[in-house]
Amino acid sequence: MGIVLRGGTVITADSEYLADVRIEGSTVSTVGQGLVRSGDTVIDAAGCYLLPGGIDPHTHFDLDVGSTRTADDFASGTQAAIAGGTTTIIDYAAQARGGTLHAALAEWHAKADGNCYADYGFHMGITDYNPAVADEMSQMVAAGVTSFKMYLAYKSLKVDDKTVFQALRRSREIGALVGFHCENGDAIDMLVQEAIEAGNTSPRYHALTRPAIAEAEATNRVIALAEMAGAPVFIVHLTCKGALEAVIRAKSRGGIAVYTETCPQYLLLDESCYAADGFEAAKYVMSPPLRTLTDQAALWNGLSAGFFDCLATDHCSFNYQGQKELGRQDFSKIPNGGPGVEHRLALIYTYGVLTGKITLQQMVALTSTNAAKLFGLFPRKGTIAPGSDADIVVWNPDASSVITAAAQTQRVDYTPYEGWRQRGRAEYVFLRGREVAKGGTIRQEALGEYLSRKPFPIRRED
């Protein structure tokens, strides 16, 4: 006996067609017509899109930031992901200064294993590079952690150019992809200190002390170092025109592969959010910060033209009450980040596909397929095809709703999209052939499994 999704329109990164999808066990068995057999469970998908389960390659669940811990842990965060049609997340494990990568991986497994409602994997953040860590990097790849991250900002996390260059060279040797948070941390630290000393402590100064040029400069620098190292590079949460132009120039030069992601908040929200009354602007304190409408337009154009590979969320939620308020007297103490994993698909469908900015195929590529390819999960994930995991979203394009904090699954007391209208809804969500959500109701069983990912296919010189 199997499950047949009958009469829907299958959407992949490169095709759209009417078909039935037959699920047997945990995988897709057949895609075609007339697939129903005696004893099958049949779900009427007429009028709906059948999408590959979303993959969000940038989340921060159960993250201790020193002064507090994220509002969403792996249970609540992956429940929210499932509610919105995302069936796989890749979270960022983080090496402690002076610690080992193995210790960080063990810590993240302890937080996630048995608590996830979606399938999950890990990137590994490196803050303290040395010969022992270089050896550990290959051991991480053997353990299925085939991507790493480094920060050029934040005092407790940032690394210098020598470290960046060494890690990129090492990544090429072991078949790994390194992602970068690109902001000039040294310049930003000076600007923040000057603002505080001048008495400029309100949330709006978070954005004013992290200008777009600091992101553009760091993006240019990382790409140059990657070209010197002959290694591919991944630019996370790109927000501004200058940084995008650096990526476009690198892509046009060829040589190394440059990949990048952006997030819904940078496509839909802008710097005017920092003019909110009182302390409300703290809800939008994230790094990099929200940018200008000009930057926003450039991102949409880049998305349409194919210069972005992934649409992630950088979900890093903190309650407005009690957590964001830690920085009421000093914007630099506001925990950085915001929620978003639950609403990613509906927002890009509503404000990207339905407005004609991108196609349905591009939506699938950005929210699922490309991440699967970049992070060693394709074709198991990221598509609907025989043999692939039956991670499928039955998407009702006619559903309409309003986003509110009161109605969301994310365990946080606000949403930056409060009152926004959205079209489309995940009517059914399947994870490896198991129905995990129906009509917005999530199955209360943590079925998520850890995903050991394939090494990154490094292009080598002859």
Side-chain angles (χ1 to χ4, degrees), residues 80-124:
I82 289 293
T86 291
T87 53
T88 298
I89 61 97
I90 309 179
D91 200 81
Y92 281 93
Q95 174 201 23
R97 289 277 191 190
T100 67
L101 305 189
H102 282 289
L105 183 59
E107 180 184 355
W108 256 256
H109 270 299
K111 292 191 285 190
D113 294 355
N115 295 315
C116 287
Y117 289 72
D119 282 352
Y120 60 99
F122 303 122
H123 310 283
M124 179 57 67

Side-chain angles (χ1 to χ4, degrees), residues 77-160:
T78 54
Q79 283 179 316
I82 289 293
T86 291
T87 53
T88 298
I89 61 97
I90 309 179
D91 200 81
Y92 281 93
Q95 174 201 23
R97 289 277 191 190
T100 67
L101 305 189
H102 282 289
L105 183 59
E107 180 184 355
W108 256 256
H109 270 299
K111 292 191 285 190
D113 294 355
N115 295 315
C116 287
Y117 289 72
D119 282 352
Y120 60 99
F122 303 122
H123 310 283
M124 179 57 67
I126 298 176
T127 62
D128 195 359
Y129 189 86
N130 54 55
V133 169
D135 288 340
E136 279 194 289
M137 286 177 70
S138 62
Q139 296 162 22
M140 291 296 104
V141 171
V145 179
T146 58
S147 47
F148 298 86
K149 183 182 182 182
M150 287 183 157
Y151 293 81
L152 276 64
Y154 299 124
K155 289 180 181 178
S156 63
L157 299 172
K158 67 183 176 183
V159 296
D160 60 21

Side-chain angles (χ1 to χ4, degrees), residues 177-195:
L177 180 64
V178 185
F180 289 91
H181 176 129
C182 292
E183 291 182 289
N184 188 313
D186 290 338
I188 288 170
D189 289 346
M190 288 184 62
L191 293 172
V192 169
Q193 181 179 352
E194 291 170 356

Side-chain angles (χ1 to χ4, degrees), residues 51-56 78-89 118 341-346 363 367-368 391-395 425-431 436-437 440 442:
L51 310 176
I55 301 172
D56 189 342
T78 54
Q79 283 179 316
I82 289 293
T86 291
T87 53
T88 298
I89 61 97
V341 71
E342 184 171 349
H343 301 119
R344 180 179 64 131
L345 266 63
M363 171 181 160
T367 61
S368 184
D391 298 350
I392 300 175
V393 177
V394 180
W395 188 261
R425 184 174 80 163
E427 292 292 351
Y428 292 87
V429 180
F430 290 87
L431 175 65
V436 291
I442 302 162

Side-chain angles (χ1 to χ4, degrees), residues 187-223:
I188 288 170
D189 289 346
M190 288 184 62
L191 293 172
V192 169
Q193 181 179 352
E194 291 170 356
I196 298 300
E197 290 175 351
N200 297 322
T201 60
S202 67
R204 65 187 292 261
Y205 288 97
H206 171 77
L208 294 174
T209 56
R210 306 183 88 93
I213 188 64
E215 180 184 351
E217 183 278 329
T219 304
N220 271 288
R221 179 158 37 102
V222 162
I223 290 172

